[in-house]
Structure formats: structure tokens, C-alpha cells
Amino acid sequence: MKNAFDILNPQSRIMVLTGAGISAESGIRTFRDSGGLWENHPVDDVASPGGFRRDPKLVWNFYKQRYEQALSVQPNPGHLALKKLEDVMGDRFWLVTQNVDGLHDRAGNQNLIEMHGSLHSSFCTACGGNHPTGELDLEMELPTCPACNKMMRPDIVWFGEMPYRMDEIDALLNKSNLLLVIGTSGVVYPAAGFVMRAKYLGAHTVSVNLDAPDNDAFFDEIHQGKAGTILPDLLDSWIEKLS
Ligand code: APR
């Protein structure tokens, strides 16, 4: 079986998909591992539009805590290895993340799509205006819009809602020679379906994950372990072939 090192060349285009596992070594809890966030917080209560309608204070309390935690941690060697890869590849590199913690942005990646939104952004339930979460009065139980004073909500894509920038992601999948998927359990769609699409479109597919993901049958190359340990060396070896 070929590996990425054999197929990469200076014209190659890479798309990366990340999930909660890449931020685990920064100290952010994943969702479905033992001790994961969804063990103590029913998804329906804190990650659905219906949950927000029923109890917006509970939902805001949950996201305020996550926002403050995200601000208190740092990008780890896995995030930094992806920034280094983008520096070498420029626009032939794109990073799509399901994470909302902002750590890829803080690591410096620019060709970045936060498909599930961001803890660092919020929008108004009335006028629709977007505002940085840091500009809201988070002392309020229900933060209000700086423009119209109505209730804000976290700019997070909840279950039942459509992820952001799917057309761009689709175009990237179509032209990528390699899809690298890191730290995601492969159970939440549409992201979990990217590897199958990439494989049928002829791309080389690579997984870096602590446990085997649910969709592991679609990967050509599997690296099992921690992203922060595996990625720096793996991506350095790719960079040799890409530059
Ligand atoms: N390095 C690599 N992989 C890791 C590490 C690590 N240090 N630690 C954990 N993992 C792996 C786990 O083995 C698991 O497969 O990361 C994966 C995390 O899976 P989930 O908790 O399901 O997170 P994710 O796949 O990102 O969830 C997808 O579900 O709840 C929604 O919207 C939320 O974006 C989230 C989506």
C-alpha cells in the first residue's frame, strides 16, 4: 500500500479535517471519550436549537464556561505542525475544523474553515448581527446585542443546523490529492462523510487518531496515537516532498 510520502509532490493539494482530539493535548475535553463533555451534558439540552429555546440560561452558562476555558489554554505541537505545513504549501493547503475553540486560528492558520462555528463569535437572535463573544457582557445571564439590545446566542452550529461553508468544503474535496483527518470519532455528519468522498474522488486518505474512528475502512494510511506526538515528525517528512 502506498503512503503519503510516495504520492506527494510540489503540486499536491492537501485538505485537513480536525476534531476535538487535536485539542485534547491542550487540555480541552473531547465529546465522546470517557470523561467527554457529552457524558455530563445531554446534547439535546446544550447543543440544539430546541434546548436553547427551552433554557437559554443553561445553554449560555455552558458556552461561557467553554469560552473561558478556550481562552485559558494554548495551541499544542499538533496545531503548530499544521501551521508549519500551511507556511510551506500556501493556497494548496486548507484546514477544515469541527472545533470551536479557536486554537487553529491562534496557531496562525489562515486557510481555515470553522465549519461548526466558533466560541469566539456570537450572533443576535433578533437582528442577526455577529459580534465577538469578548465584546459581550458575559456577567449577564443572557448577554444582549450591542446593536439592538436583544438576546444573543453562541455562533455554534448545533445539531439540526447546517454547517458553515459547505460549498467551499465540497470544492476543496474535489481538488485535493490528500485528505488528512485528525482527532475525530467519525460519527458526526457531514464531516464524517468527507473521507468516503475523498477516497472515491481518488485522493489518498490518512488518519491520525488515538482510537480507531468509526469510518476507518475508508483510510489508506492510519497512524494511531496522539496528534501532538505524531504530527510534527509526520508533517516534516511530507514537507521534504512538498517543497
Ligand atoms: N490525538 C489524536 N486523537 C485523539 C486524541 C489525541 N491526543 N485524544 C482523543 N483523540 C480522538 C479520540 O480517539 C476520538 O476518536 O479524538 C476523537 C474525538 O472524538 P469526539 O469526542 O467524538 O469529537 P469529534 O469527532 O470532534 O466530534 C464531532 O460532534 O458533538 C459534536 O459538534 C461537536 O464538533 C463536534 C462533533
Side-chain angles (χ1 to χ4, degrees), residues 19-21 25 31-33 38 98 116 183-185 188 209-211 227:
E25 291 157 78
F31 298 98
R32 294 173 186 79
D33 293 310
W38 293 159
Q98 301 167 87
H116 288 174
T184 175
S185 52
V188 175
N209 219 67
L210 196 53
D211 306 302

Side-chain angles (χ1 to χ4, degrees), residues 13 15 165-176 197 201:
R13 292 177 178 276
M15 176 175 148
R165 300 172 69 179
M166 285 304 294
D167 288 352
E168 281 171 81
I169 294 172
D170 202 53
L172 289 168
L173 274 169
N174 265 304
K175 61 183 185 193
S176 296
R197 283 213 54 220
L201 288 164

